[in-house]
Amino acid sequence: MTTILEDSAFVRACRRRPVPHTPVWFMRQAGRSLPEYRKIRAGVGMLESCRRPDLVTEITLQPVRRHGVDAAILFSDIVVPLAAAGVDLDIVAGTGPVVAEPIRTAADVARLRPLAAGDVGYVDEAVRLLVPELGPIPLIGFAGAPFTLASYLIEGGPSRTYLKTKAMMYGEPELWHALLAKLADITLAFLRVQVGAGVSAVQLFDSWAGALSEADYRRYVLPHSAKVLGGLAGAGVPRIHFGVGTAVLLRAMGEAGADVVGVDWRTPLDEATTLIGAEKAVQGNLDPAILFAPWEVVEREARRVLAEGKAAPGHVFNLGHGVMPETDPDVLTRLVDLVRSA
Ligand SMILES: Cc1c2[nH]c(c1CCC(=O)O)Cc1[nH]c(c(CCC(=O)O)c1C)Cc1[nH]c(c(CCC(=O)O)c1C)Cc1[nH]c(c(C)c1CCC(=O)O)C2
């Protein structure tokens, strides 16, 4: 039985089919920009909230109720499957994931164990609760891509330079490939749980892949991301592949096995389509910072994104990266109305 909501504007756009209106959702639409989120999260740690299906369900639904977006994204985090596979880590407010014992040696890589479906039973349960609650609104599942996960595991936390990550990548390529292969297996297992429970699409976040040249991306990263995306080919769900600062990687990220390529705010969608090719839809790409400008500017820029998106064979409106916590949620609601009526 398939639960993919094929008739929704969102899935239709992913599949490059005609749509009644351009579908819109926002990366990080659930989160600190919403007062109802801050309220429900008070006193509950980030990882703990990801493990409670009641909280996951409520937080995932909050932006759907408030903004009327065309898709929901599961409330979770890219490091949830790593923690479930036994990595000692925490998500620190204002910082991000912090790993207690970073992975730097062959012995560290050897200790990383695979993810069993039973390790993330709470994710399976949350998706099964959400799908009927959402009704006609498709649910997007997601995971972090091997490179972005590796960067947190090797650095021990967020990084600007990815020095230790690149030191392993260039200096110990065999160890690097062994680590990324393990991460690809964990990511694929995590996505299969979500697909099995009924999500209508998946997004693979390679947020920090833009740190690499195209040649290095193709050599050190693409085969592992392709294993994840290719492993889902038979599942039939549209696959979105996203990163930040990836102008030179857009074609390769499509080739890794995506149906939709996510584009940050730096590359106009018509140019992105020329780079990616007409076999893929695009998602994006309003600068999240524009939401802090007067409404006339937001409207002008949103209309520009919509016009440039017409060059693509399918367009899912989104920001070029996540909603910033300080964003006025009323501006997001107004933007949804504008996109859906444009
Ligand atoms: C790199 C990355 C992470 N997590 C994620 C990525 C890829 C997307 C991207 O590029 O932004 C993905 C993610 N994280 C979260 C979601 C939920 C769904 C949604 O988009 O609404 C998604 C899709 C919740 C979250 N993940 C996190 C929050 C904030 C936690 C809080 O409310 O305290 C949320 C809502 C924490 C987190 N987790 C991570 C970061 C950088 C942070 C922010 C740290 C901070 O600024 O406090 C790692």
Side-chain angles (χ1 to χ4, degrees):
M1 193 196 74
T2 174
T3 46
I4 303 171
L5 296 178
E6 293 290 347
D7 288 336
S8 62
F10 167 74
V11 173
R12 292 186 67 86
C14 292
R15 298 216 191 275
R16 295 173 287 137
R17 293 186 182 136
V19 284
H21 58 83
T22 304
V24 50
W25 70 279
F26 304 116
M27 293 184 276
R28 290 282 168 95
Q29 62 190 15
R32 283 171 291 181
S33 66
L34 301 184
E36 58 270 33
Y37 170 82
R38 295 196 294 266
K39 192 167 165 219
I40 199 171
R41 275 286 323 282
V44 188
M46 177 63 192
L47 274 175
E48 188 196 337
S49 63
C50 294
R51 292 177 184 136
R52 284 182 46 185
D54 58 329
L55 285 184
V56 172
T57 304
E58 173 57 23
I59 294 171
T60 302
L61 290 169
Q62 283 176 349
V64 179
R65 285 193 205 110
R66 182 189 267 263
H67 302 308
V69 282
D70 290 287
I73 182 157
L74 180 73
F75 181 75
S76 187
D77 195 83
I78 60 167
V79 297
V80 163
L82 300 179
V87 178
D88 184 0
L89 60 83
D90 198 7
I91 301 177
V92 179
T95 301
V98 175
V99 179
E101 292 172 48
I103 292 186
R104 309 256 165 89
T105 65
D108 296 337
V109 173
R111 268 197 298 276
L112 190 61
R113 64 169 172 84
L115 182 76
D119 294 331
V120 285
Y122 43 84
V123 170
D124 175 86
E125 192 183 334
V127 171
R128 287 178 199 275
L129 288 169
L130 271 164
V131 169
E133 284 282 331
L134 283 162
I137 304 296
L139 178 63
I140 304 168
F142 75 92
F147 175 82
T148 292
L149 294 179
S151 78
Y152 284 109
L153 290 176
I154 298 169
E155 304 290 338
S159 172
R160 279 180 186 281
T161 56
Y162 306 98
L163 270 183
K164 296 187 176 73
T165 308
K166 290 183 178 184
M168 186 195 289
M169 190 177 89
Y170 293 121
E172 295 179 275
E174 281 180 19
L175 185 59
W176 170 263
H177 284 296
L179 173 59
L180 265 73
K182 281 190 158 191
L183 292 172
D185 289 341
I186 290 174
T187 295
L188 182 54
F190 187 54
L191 289 172
R192 281 191 170 137
V193 167
Q194 299 173 56
V195 170
V199 299
S200 278
V202 294
Q203 178 154 332
L204 188 63
F205 282 95
D206 212 350
S207 301
W208 315 135
L212 300 176
S213 70
E214 185 188 357
D216 288 342
Y217 176 81
R218 286 184 182 277
R219 178 183 306 168
Y220 296 108
V221 176
L222 188 148
H224 304 286
S225 296
K227 189 170 155 198
V228 176
L229 293 166
L232 294 171
V237 289
R239 296 156 297 175
I240 309 167
H241 197 185
F242 167 80
V244 182
T246 52
V248 300
L249 305 181
L250 289 172
R251 172 169 280 276
M253 288 181 76
E255 285 174 19
D259 304 293
V260 184
V261 178
V263 184
D264 79 359
W265 61 92
R266 296 173 177 92
T267 311
L269 292 180
D270 48 357
E271 264 181 53
T273 296
T274 306
L275 292 167
I276 296 161
E279 311 77 40
K280 318 269 176 198
V282 294
Q283 175 175 279
N285 73 340
L286 189 73
D287 188 336
I290 283 172
L291 302 178
F292 296 80
W295 175 252
E296 304 78 68
V297 180
V298 178
E299 175 166 0
R300 183 189 73 210
E301 292 300 307
R303 290 195 191 283
R304 175 183 59 77
V305 168
L306 284 164
E308 289 163 356
K310 295 255 184 285
H315 175 210
V316 175
F317 191 99
N318 205 315
L319 304 179
H321 199 185
V323 173
M324 300 208 226
E326 304 83 2
T327 306
D328 176 355
D330 291 342
V331 175
L332 290 171
T333 309
R334 214 171 159 187
L335 181 56
V336 170
D337 293 341
L338 176 116
V339 172
R340 292 183 51 130
S341 60

